[in-house]
Amino acid sequence: MTPTFPDRPFVGQLGRENTLQVLSRPDRIICRVTRGSVWFSQLILLFFGSFLAFVVWTAHQDRSFRMPLPFLILVWVLALACWGVFLRTLAGMARIEIVGDTGNVLFFRYNTRIPRRVVRRSEIRRIGVETQMYTSRSVQTANYLLSLHLEGDVKVPLCASPSEREVRLLETQLTTGIRMQKTPGDARA
């Protein structure tokens, strides 16, 4: 049986729909989550956070509406969590950039100029795509995981998507941009 997505990718959400976007610029390749996915999650967080804040405010203002203390604390925590994730996402989503002239892979958590992590081309041993299954409501969907294999047998999951085309395109761009060989065991290479 296929494992249910043991690797957590840096970019991309697991599921049935593609949330991955690959942009090719003259000097770099950028991999990020699609803007539609970001805006959808932002709208859900905004609505849910506002609703929970309204429930807490109503419980505080209206004395005829009494809420048990543990439930009130739980609603407060959930409201603060929604607003925290909403504000964090406003700062930007995670992205990966592959610099064309150096072949370095840059990992960004927010919209900043300073990467959180840099993987140098000399550290990369191979690039591989593997198929892992995502299960939701007893329906399995194949997701394709693009990983870097570094020296010391370290695996760095870059991105995942149910769209094999997007992941293979990024793999090809990475392989030519970094001038590396694909994983030897990859049957579709």
Side-chain angles (χ1 to χ4, degrees):
M1 181 167 172
T2 309
T4 57
F5 232 94
D7 298 314
R8 185 167 189 265
F10 191 78
V11 175
Q13 298 170 355
L14 314 176
R16 294 184 214 162
E17 300 297 323
N18 181 32
T19 60
L20 195 65
Q21 182 180 27
V22 178
L23 304 169
S24 295
R25 303 278 161 83
D27 62 335
R28 65 189 60 226
I29 301 165
I30 302 170
C31 178
R32 66 180 186 195
V33 175
T34 60
R35 295 216 185 270
S37 298
V38 173
W39 282 108
F40 177 75
S41 64
Q42 286 294 83
L43 286 174
I44 296 296
L45 287 168
L46 180 65
F47 174 75
F48 195 60
S50 298
F51 173 73
L52 291 175
F54 174 75
V55 167
V56 169
W57 182 76
T58 303
H60 186 275
Q61 294 295 325
D62 189 5
R63 297 293 177 199
S64 64
F65 178 68
R66 301 297 288 177
M67 190 180 309
L69 184 61
F71 186 67
L72 185 63
I73 291 171
L74 177 67
V75 172
W76 261 109
V77 169
L78 288 175
L80 290 174
C82 283
W83 285 106
V85 173
F86 177 80
L87 293 173
R88 183 253 175 250
T89 306
L90 283 179
M93 293 295 291
R95 72 182 189 282
I96 299 169
E97 294 186 10
I98 299 93
V99 182
D101 56 347
T102 64
N104 294 341
V105 181
L106 311 175
F107 295 84
F108 295 90
R109 277 279 179 213
Y110 307 104
N111 286 338
T112 61
R113 292 179 184 224
I114 302 170
R116 179 179 181 155
R117 179 179 181 188
V118 176
V119 175
R120 307 213 182 286
R121 178 173 42 190
S122 60
E123 299 173 38
I124 301 171
R125 294 295 164 237
R126 63 184 189 276
I127 301 167
V129 175
E130 38 183 288
T131 304
Q132 296 183 359
M133 300 306 286
Y134 168 73
T135 305
S136 174
R137 297 183 185 171
S138 72
V139 176
Q140 287 193 338
T141 305
N143 278 259
Y144 301 92
L145 177 73
L146 179 64
S147 299
L148 294 178
H149 298 269
L150 307 178
E151 52 191 33
D153 209 22
V154 176
K155 179 179 170 184
V156 179
L158 293 180
C159 56
S161 173
S163 171
E164 183 178 13
R165 186 182 139 281
E166 286 288 328
V167 174
R168 294 288 175 184
L169 173 67
L170 182 59
E171 177 193 27
T172 303
Q173 290 176 338
L174 264 170
T175 305
T176 56
I178 299 178
R179 294 173 188 83
M180 294 296 301
Q181 294 180 353
K182 296 180 183 179
T183 302
D186 195 357
R188 295 182 184 161

